[in-house]
Amino acid sequence: MYQSGLLFGREAPPSLPNSLGIPPPPTQLPKVPPQPDAQLRSYFHSADKDHSGAITPIQLGRALTNGNWTPFKSETVWMLLGLFDEENSGTLDFQEFVGLWQYIVEWQKVFRWYDQNHSGTIEAPELASAIKQFGFNLSPTLLTLLEEKYGKSAQVPSLVYNLTEYTWTVAPLPDAAGAPDGISFEGFIRACVMVKTATDAFKRCDFVLN
């Protein structure tokens, strides 16, 4: 869904998507024009290969790509599905898909803003700037750990579903030698969601202890 390239002016950085509960800055970038309902339905039906009226994790994974057309990791697909699967069915109906699409569009604005060198990835200084702007105070060590965990060269195994045997297997890890630095679009989403989730959990724990 994401293609690199700056589409907006730089009057002020965009906020994280509202579902993360972070207040927006005083001014916002121009809003992305909403996708026509017919166009979104076309995207939905393209992903819904079996015409069941719902998108499975496998189908969703095939529909989501980074700016270089590499697919989202299975961990990201499951995270996004979990955020919008309101009925806990393990699938997304059309309305849930619309919510996910709007969420991705909001993340595109955030990603493009902080990808200041237009590389298609978020590099260490850009990540530090984003995390600080979002109101999180992370040490250089934690920022490095984030980049290592969610960077493009991170050695994170992915799950592959065998359509013949109906089983999940762990895909072999790719050779990371020569892999470019930086965090991809999906990695950036996962990193920010993780930081927000961990921060909220710490605040709740700290409140209980006090």
Side-chain angles (χ1 to χ4, degrees):
M1 289 182 176
Y2 166 77
Q3 296 182 6
S4 62
L6 190 65
L7 299 185
F8 307 103
R10 302 185 63 83
E11 289 82 3
S15 63
L16 286 178
N18 291 336
S19 59
L20 291 181
I22 297 177
T27 58
Q28 292 286 332
L29 296 174
K31 290 185 178 297
V32 175
Q35 296 284 346
D37 184 71
Q39 185 174 359
L40 283 180
R41 285 197 177 276
S42 175
Y43 295 155
F44 180 83
H45 292 314
S46 295
D48 180 20
K49 298 296 185 182
D50 57 358
H51 309 294
S52 65
I55 296 178
T56 66
I58 297 173
Q59 293 168 339
L60 181 61
R62 291 170 179 167
L64 299 176
T65 62
N66 289 289
N68 57 1
W69 301 108
T70 57
F72 277 24
K73 291 183 174 66
S74 58
E75 296 88 347
T76 310
V77 174
W78 280 100
M79 181 197 77
L80 293 172
L81 187 142
L83 288 174
F84 291 92
D85 179 16
E86 297 179 357
E87 299 178 352
N88 296 318
S89 63
T91 61
L92 296 180
D93 61 24
F94 177 68
Q95 291 304 319
E96 292 168 338
F97 175 75
V98 170
L100 170 61
W101 185 275
Q102 293 171 343
Y103 185 70
I104 293 292
V105 168
E106 289 298 311
W107 273 112
Q108 288 175 349
K109 293 194 296 182
V110 176
F111 187 88
R112 288 166 178 154
W113 172 270
Y114 289 104
D115 180 20
Q116 297 182 4
N117 61 0
H118 315 293
S119 66
T121 62
I122 297 296
E123 297 167 5
E126 296 166 340
L127 178 63
S129 175
I131 293 298
K132 182 178 181 181
Q133 180 65 41
F134 297 153
F136 302 121
N137 185 22
L138 300 187
S139 68
T141 300
L142 288 178
L143 287 170
T144 299
L145 289 175
L146 273 183
E147 188 176 17
E148 291 176 350
K149 180 174 178 59
Y150 297 106
K152 294 181 67 176
S153 60
Q155 295 290 282
V156 180
S158 294
L159 294 175
V160 177
Y161 190 73
N162 188 312
L163 295 175
T164 303
E165 300 178 359
Y166 303 101
T167 58
W168 288 95
T169 58
V170 179
L173 292 171
D175 182 5
D181 294 330
I183 299 177
S184 67
F185 176 51
E186 63 152 329
F188 183 62
I189 296 176
R190 289 180 61 207
C192 293
V193 170
M194 189 280 292
V195 170
K196 178 65 167 60
T197 302
T199 300
D200 287 349
F202 177 81
K203 289 179 179 178
R204 288 194 297 269
C205 181
D206 187 55
F207 176 79
V208 171
L209 292 177
N210 291 330

